[in-house]
Amino acid sequence: VKIAVLGTGMVGRSLSSRLGELGHDVVIGTRDPQATLDRPHTDAEGDTSFADWQASHPDVRLQTFAEAAAHGDVVVNAVAGAVSAAVLEEAGASNLAGKVLLDISNPLDFSAGMPPTLFVKDSDSLAERLQRAFPQTRVVKSLNTLNAYLMVNPKELGVESSVFVSGDDAAAKAVVVELLTSFGHTDVIDLGDLSTARGPEMLLPLWLRLWGALGTPMFNIKVVR
Amino acid sequence: VKIAVLGTGMVGRSLSSRLGELGHDVVIGTRDPQATLDRPHTDAEGDTSFADWQASHPDVRLQTFAEAAAHGDVVVNAVAGAVSAAVLEEAGASNLAGKVLLDISNPLDFSAGMPPTLFVKDSDSLAERLQRAFPQTRVVKSLNTLNAYLMVNPKELGVESSVFVSGDDAAAKAVVVELLTSFGHTDVIDLGDLSTARGPEMLLPLWLRLWGALGTPMFNIKVVR
């Protein structure tokens, strides 16, 4: 499958790397490719520079958001929630039209410090906002409830855990479920239409406190029934 | 332990029944005991009348909120979130002073129809509101993330699942953890101070959609790590 991953941070890299490994034709999108290659570190955590990362992932091409979106039949929104709408705007509504948009972002607001709050919630969700802004695109929410590594390597936990999908387009959801299954997810729960994305997005406050209590982000929830 | 359970609905009954079974001295509290006994059904679901329920649970005494709170060393808030503050007001700050208040309520707002939204969230929680209103009481949030039956019978799922505790008073949390353990909970996760209750309270939107997707409320989440 031709896939665009928007975002060159840890989440975008983790997704791109795994999708490339699975044989997909992956383009990773950024605002300004040269600036991304020139940057010594991507963030405050001091991750490997993108240039170094790409040297070990030559199959993943780096292009602009618009070029990446034009390439992908599936587009993954792997940028921060706060900039998602602007990045998709830059990717271009025409490049996104008809495409499956897998939205894995979270509407985190860090403006009042830690822990972050949610800038949309309860009677709306980030996924629904993006769907309203890009009505020709088929938005599917998933994977926002896991750490970047576990998103694409769920079996590393050793015990089955759950992942959710929400979306208005059944065919688009089926495309996403197939990707999730290829990552190793064996308990994919279809919550229903895109408004159900409010549920997984509102899990984040608990997720963040579990990270604090457990001292590691390497966990996931399993819906036991 | 002398325990007061405030609320005669399904949740209050489930808790009272199990606590009585475990040998505790349980009083179940209501606004007007005679009115509760006279009511043919407690709610729209057509549950057994309280009078019939009590006939099969003679060890659980029915008293007013204030009498129940005066009796309990541990007081369980098992009324709806929307009326919790008013019910505790009626129970009386002096009757609640020094007591452990196990708050299992959820701040659900049904005023705009289904699914409900949350009337407090994100930068505050119902548990914190109650703590601020009753500063002499030691509020512990727990059990709001499970169905009433599974709260007190978690082993019925057949597989271990998780439950959370949040609170500012370590001794009060220890009292609650002991009760949870006696119910059969084996994975009790201490999230931290009472502000961490925002996490489990904000799980409700996902919980409600899981109920819809799974067609049953007989599930719980396990934090796999």
Side-chain angles (χ1 to χ4, degrees), chain A residues 117-118 121-122 164 190-191 196 198-199 202-203 205-206 209-210 213-214 219-225, chain B residues 117-118 121-122 159 164 190-191 196 199 202-203 205-206 209-210 213-214 219-225:
Chain A
T117 54
L118 303 182
K121 63 219 159 220
D122 217 16
F164 311 104
D190 186 342
L191 294 174
T196 63
R198 297 169 196 176
M202 290 177 77
L203 179 65
L206 177 57
R209 278 146 180 115
L210 281 169
L214 302 174
F219 65 87
N220 189 25
I221 67 171
K222 164 69 184 171
V223 179
V224 178
R225 67 274 196 192
Chain B
T117 54
L118 302 183
K121 62 218 160 222
D122 215 17
V159 180
F164 311 105
D190 185 343
L191 294 174
T196 65
M202 290 176 78
L203 179 65
L206 177 58
R209 279 143 180 116
L210 281 168
L214 302 175
F219 65 87
N220 189 25
I221 68 172
K222 163 68 185 172
V223 179
V224 178
R225 71 271 197 193

Side-chain angles (χ1 to χ4, degrees), chain B residues 96-157:
Chain B
L96 293 169
K99 307 290 179 71
V100 174
L101 179 70
L102 168 54
D103 175 32
I104 65 176
S105 68
N106 277 300
L108 298 176
D109 176 0
F110 294 90
S111 64
M114 294 295 285
T117 54
L118 302 183
F119 63 76
V120 56
K121 62 218 160 222
D122 215 17
S123 54
D124 197 6
S125 63
L126 181 53
E128 291 166 276
R129 278 194 184 178
L130 299 178
Q131 181 66 82
R132 289 195 301 272
F134 299 91
Q136 305 298 314
T137 302
R138 300 178 291 160
V139 178
V140 177
K141 188 88 193 190
S142 191
L143 289 180
N144 68 303
T145 57
L146 292 91
N147 158 273
Y149 181 74
L150 291 177
M151 283 182 192
V152 293
N153 298 286
K155 287 191 182 304
E156 294 290 315
L157 280 172

Side-chain angles (χ1 to χ4, degrees), chain A residues 103 106-107 118 125-127 141 144 197-205:
Chain A
D103 174 33
N106 276 300
L118 303 182
S125 63
L126 181 53
K141 187 90 194 187
N144 68 302
R198 297 169 196 176
E201 290 187 6
M202 290 177 77
L203 179 65
L204 259 282

Side-chain angles (χ1 to χ4, degrees), chain A residues 131-213:
Chain A
Q131 182 64 83
R132 288 195 301 273
F134 300 90
Q136 305 298 313
T137 302
R138 299 177 292 158
V139 178
V140 178
K141 187 90 194 187
S142 192
L143 288 180
N144 68 302
T145 56
L146 292 91
N147 158 272
Y149 180 75
L150 292 177
M151 283 182 192
V152 293
N153 298 287
K155 287 189 183 304
E156 295 290 316
L157 279 174
V159 179
E160 185 181 65
S161 59
S162 307
V163 70
F164 311 104
V165 290
S166 303
D168 293 334
D169 185 300
K173 276 201 282 201
V175 168
V176 168
V177 170
E178 198 173 324
L179 285 177
L180 297 174
T181 304
S182 73
F183 294 156
H185 289 283
T186 49
D187 185 31
V188 180
I189 301 178
D190 186 342
L191 294 174
D193 69 25
L194 197 60
S195 76
T196 63
R198 297 169 196 176
E201 290 187 6
M202 290 177 77
L203 179 65
L204 259 282
L206 177 57
W207 192 93
L208 291 165
R209 278 146 180 115
L210 281 169
W211 184 3

Side-chain angles (χ1 to χ4, degrees), chain B residues 19 37 42 48 79 92 206 213 218:
Chain B
L19 288 164
L37 289 169
T42 49
T48 310
V79 298
L206 177 58
M218 295 296 277

Side-chain angles (χ1 to χ4, degrees), chain B:
Chain B
V1 181
K2 289 183 172 182
I3 302 184
V5 175
L6 308 183
T8 56
M10 198 198 303
V11 179
R13 294 180 194 184
S14 181
L15 264 289
S16 300
S17 157
R18 185 79 162 111
L19 288 164
E21 192 180 292
L22 291 168
H24 298 291
D25 179 7
V26 184
V27 171
I28 189 165
T30 190
R31 177 151 297 128
D32 177 342
Q34 196 54 54
T36 296
L37 289 169
D38 290 346
R39 213 172 294 147
H41 297 296
T42 49
D43 55 35
E45 282 95 53
D47 286 340
T48 310
S49 73
F50 187 85
D52 285 350
W53 180 85
Q54 210 189 22
S56 57
H57 297 83
D59 50 326
V60 175
R61 279 164 293 151
L62 177 69
Q63 298 185 346
T64 65
F65 289 130
E67 289 165 340
H71 163 81
D73 290 322
V74 175
V75 179
V76 183
N77 176 31
V79 298
V83 299
S84 290
V87 163
L88 293 178
E89 203 55 61
E90 202 166 319
S94 62
N95 291 326
L96 293 169
K99 307 290 179 71
V100 174
L101 179 70
L102 168 54
D103 175 32
I104 65 176
S105 68
N106 277 300
L108 298 176
D109 176 0
F110 294 90
S111 64
M114 294 295 285
T117 54
L118 302 183
F119 63 76
V120 56
K121 62 218 160 222
D122 215 17
S123 54
D124 197 6
S125 63
L126 181 53
E128 291 166 276
R129 278 194 184 178
L130 299 178
Q131 181 66 82
R132 289 195 301 272
F134 299 91
Q136 305 298 314
T137 302
R138 300 178 291 160
V139 178
V140 177
K141 188 88 193 190
S142 191
L143 289 180
N144 68 303
T145 57
L146 292 91
N147 158 273
Y149 181 74
L150 291 177
M151 283 182 192
V152 293
N153 298 286
K155 287 191 182 304
E156 294 290 315
L157 280 172
V159 180
E160 185 181 67
S161 59
S162 308
V163 71
F164 311 105
V165 290
S166 303
D168 293 335
D169 185 299
K173 276 203 281 201
V175 168
V176 169
V177 170
E178 197 173 325
L179 284 177
L180 297 174
T181 304
S182 74
F183 294 157
H185 288 284
T186 50
D187 185 32
V188 180
I189 300 179
D190 185 343
L191 294 174
D193 68 26
L194 197 61
S195 75
T196 65
R198 298 170 195 175
E201 289 187 8
M202 290 176 78
L203 179 65
L204 260 281
L206 177 58
W207 192 92
L208 291 164
R209 279 143 180 116
L210 281 168
W211 183 3
L214 302 175
T216 170
M218 295 296 277
F219 65 87
N220 189 25
I221 68 172
K222 163 68 185 172
V223 179
V224 178
R225 71 271 197 193

